[in-house]
Amino acid sequence: MRTAKKLTDKVSWVGKVDWELQTFHGHEYSVRKGSSYNSYLIRDEKVVLIDTVWLPYDQEFVENLRSEIDLNEIDYIIIQHAEIDHSGALRELMREIPGTPIYCTKNGEKVIKGHFHEDWNIVTVKTGDTLDIGESQLVFVEAPMLHWPDTMFTYMTGENILFSNDAFGQHYATESLYNDTADQCDLFAEALKYYANILTPFSALVKKKINEVLAMDLPVNLICTSHGVLWRDNPAQIIQKYLEWADAYQENQITIVYDTMWNSTRLMAEAIAVGIQQEDPEVTVKLLNAAKVDKNDIVTEIFKSKAILAGSSTVNNRYLSAMGGLLEMVKGLKFKQKKAAAFGSYGWSGEAVKLLTEDLTTAGFEIVNEGHRAIWVPDEDALKACQEFGRSFVQSL
Ligand code: FEO
């Protein structure tokens, strides 16, 4: 079936829109609005394919590509990042055109060999290397750890297109492709979730790389990402957003994330929220039960917060497992310049608050106090103490 979409006289989108995707990176990332694996076909004097699609769609991809072009006419394949959602159709494609050179970074070569164990014709490139393809030239820019060591961007002169791979992407399915045709609220929510959950640990590199690309002073009419929309309407807006998000982003928000066995810790969380609101009526407060709310949504709310409170009852001398899974994710994301404290109910030993505090410290949060505990079911006085804890937490920020 012919599914290609023409972007310019020379460039077509030949990817796959995946409306059914529910999770990504195994089950680490929840997907609610589908996604896409964007691949691009450039027809200048030379024919170039940029990236492919996720493995389950490999045959469909190659068949659709064949209906668009004689595969033997493809002169170069560019793999900007060899994670399987972009390199997945490579084996199927190389069966058809085995000698075609694959352009990638030095690290890309390692990843491709590590994934496919094939002796393909790989040409490695580095920042500043160019490929003449006719009227246009392709300029390569390495972008290591955005978000894998192999990642690179490709800039196409003449058309002024930046192929950015995962950067500026979102898990968002769209048939109409462009940012201005998307529901703006959904689009930016998904772009933020993507940044918070995937790119946060690399924020310093994001900032550096964007500034490096901006210093090249390249005109950019279109940013062609590898997931979700293509940014044609004011592409600078997503670059600006990335610079904000990469700079220890925070809003005037405090997130209370907790788990609870018999509701005592929930009652504490709610009383703390009341205290926070009394002290600062302007602050946005969100209460999220880690056992009930999607973990990636919680991470996104933490990303937006200036401070968090982590709560759990004590069980088996530890804290509850939903908080454990969440904090394991949070440790890896390496949030910067956020403050925190812990709270929780207990019956006898009561270790949860101390352990949560230790793990928040390991996760890089600035701990503002030693936390707050309440024994058994909090009575009126205990809830008042929780409110007071909420007020003093705000004062300490
Ligand atoms: Fe979309 Fe890092 O792969």
Side-chain angles (χ1 to χ4, degrees):
M1 187 166 64
R2 241 184 131 177
T3 54
K5 295 175 187 185
K6 191 170 169 181
L7 307 181
T8 70
D9 284 346
K10 290 182 184 166
V11 183
S12 297
W13 175 95
V14 289
K16 169 70 185 174
V17 182
D18 187 348
W19 287 92
E20 290 196 351
L21 190 71
Q22 291 184 309
T23 65
F24 189 78
H25 284 159
H27 291 270
E28 279 296 281
Y29 190 111
S30 60
V31 175
R32 300 232 180 75
K33 309 248 172 222
S35 190
S36 65
Y37 320 107
N38 298 334
S39 168
Y40 302 96
L41 185 67
I42 301 174
R43 278 173 280 210
D44 201 328
E45 285 167 28
K46 298 288 186 183
V47 176
V48 184
L49 180 74
I50 298 188
D51 295 328
T52 72
V53 299
W54 187 31
L55 184 62
Y57 299 106
D58 60 349
Q59 291 182 10
E60 178 181 325
F61 171 77
V62 171
E63 284 315 306
N64 290 343
L65 194 59
R66 202 198 301 278
S67 66
E68 185 63 21
I69 193 169
D70 176 349
L71 299 179
N72 290 301
E73 287 181 25
I74 297 173
D75 295 290
Y76 311 115
I77 298 165
I78 293 172
I79 294 292
Q80 302 188 101
H81 166 41
E83 194 164 6
I84 211 68
D85 52 326
H86 307 300
S87 68
L90 212 41
R91 192 189 300 282
E92 194 67 20
L93 184 63
M94 296 310 280
R95 253 196 272 277
E96 304 282 340
I97 47 173
T100 309
I102 299 170
Y103 284 66
C104 62
T105 61
K106 192 86 191 144
N107 282 324
E109 179 178 30
K110 288 182 200 161
V111 181
I112 290 170
K113 288 193 167 160
H115 277 67
F116 296 99
H117 313 286
E118 297 278 1
D119 193 22
W120 290 327
N121 176 12
I122 290 179
V123 181
T124 61
V125 293
K126 54 188 185 321
T127 295
D129 286 354
T130 57
L131 183 60
D132 291 317
I133 57 170
E135 287 178 351
S136 288
Q137 197 178 48
L138 298 180
V139 183
F140 302 109
V141 180
E142 291 168 277
M145 298 320 295
L146 298 182
H147 65 127
W148 273 23
D150 63 327
T151 305
M152 69 172 178
F153 304 156
T154 306
Y155 179 77
M156 182 179 179
T157 66
E159 305 293 282
N160 301 341
I161 297 176
L162 178 67
F163 297 94
S164 64
N165 197 260
D166 283 334
F168 313 123
Q170 341 78 44
H171 288 306
Y172 184 75
T174 164
E175 291 295 328
S176 52
L177 289 185
Y178 295 109
N179 66 310
D180 48 293
T181 62
D183 176 315
Q184 297 301 293
C185 189
D186 284 349
L187 171 59
F188 279 94
E190 292 302 329
L192 180 71
K193 175 179 172 181
Y194 189 94
Y195 190 97
N197 283 274
I198 295 180
L199 289 164
T200 297
F202 313 112
S203 284
L205 295 169
V206 169
K207 209 157 59 167
K208 199 166 157 221
K209 184 54 60 180
I210 288 178
N211 285 325
E212 182 190 318
V213 172
L214 290 176
M216 293 165 86
D217 210 17
L218 303 167
V220 175
N221 297 346
L222 181 63
I223 297 177
C224 287
T225 63
S226 62
H227 297 291
V229 302
L230 286 49
W231 299 89
R232 74 172 171 190
D233 175 38
N234 185 14
Q237 67 180 306
I238 190 63
I239 297 174
Q240 191 51 44
K241 279 286 173 206
Y242 263 49
L243 286 172
E244 287 172 29
W245 293 340
D247 194 18
Y249 183 75
Q250 53 180 247
E251 299 176 10
N252 188 23
Q253 177 172 326
I254 295 172
T255 298
I256 304 174
V257 57
Y258 64 93
D259 195 3
T260 186
M261 285 178 78
W262 294 108
N263 283 329
S264 292
T265 300
R266 175 178 65 78
L267 292 171
M268 292 180 74
E270 290 171 358
I272 292 168
V274 170
I276 291 171
Q277 204 71 40
Q278 286 170 344
E279 186 64 28
D280 181 0
E282 300 300 317
V283 73
T284 300
V285 186
K286 294 191 183 175
L287 282 81
L288 306 170
N289 183 321
K292 295 184 180 182
V293 179
D294 177 272
K295 60 184 183 289
N296 303 109
D297 288 344
I298 297 176
V299 161
T300 307
E301 295 302 334
I302 293 174
F303 178 78
K304 287 157 61 183
S305 299
K306 61 182 180 183
I308 71 163
L309 284 148
S312 174
S313 24
T314 295
V315 59
N316 299 333
N317 309 111
R318 309 290 304 173
Y319 57 78
L320 290 166
S321 61
M323 289 300 291
L326 180 73
L327 283 175
E328 194 56 31
M329 283 183 82
V330 168
K331 282 177 199 167
L333 290 167
K334 302 182 175 70
F335 290 112
K336 299 278 186 282
Q337 295 175 33
K338 296 190 191 296
K339 297 184 178 179
F343 67 96
S345 67
Y346 69 107
W348 51 102
S349 58
E351 291 92 339
V353 168
K354 181 171 171 284
L355 293 170
L356 283 170
T357 303
E358 286 170 9
D359 282 351
L360 287 166
T361 306
T362 307
F365 289 82
E366 183 187 329
I367 305 300
V368 299
N369 61 44
E370 63 185 13
H372 185 71
R373 301 191 307 172
I375 191 161
W376 300 117
V377 176
D379 61 9
E380 195 63 25
D381 284 345
L383 291 175
K384 275 188 191 150
C386 288
Q387 276 186 37
E388 182 50 40
F389 176 70
R391 279 196 290 273
S392 70
F393 183 72
V394 173
Q395 288 161 9
S396 65
L397 298 181

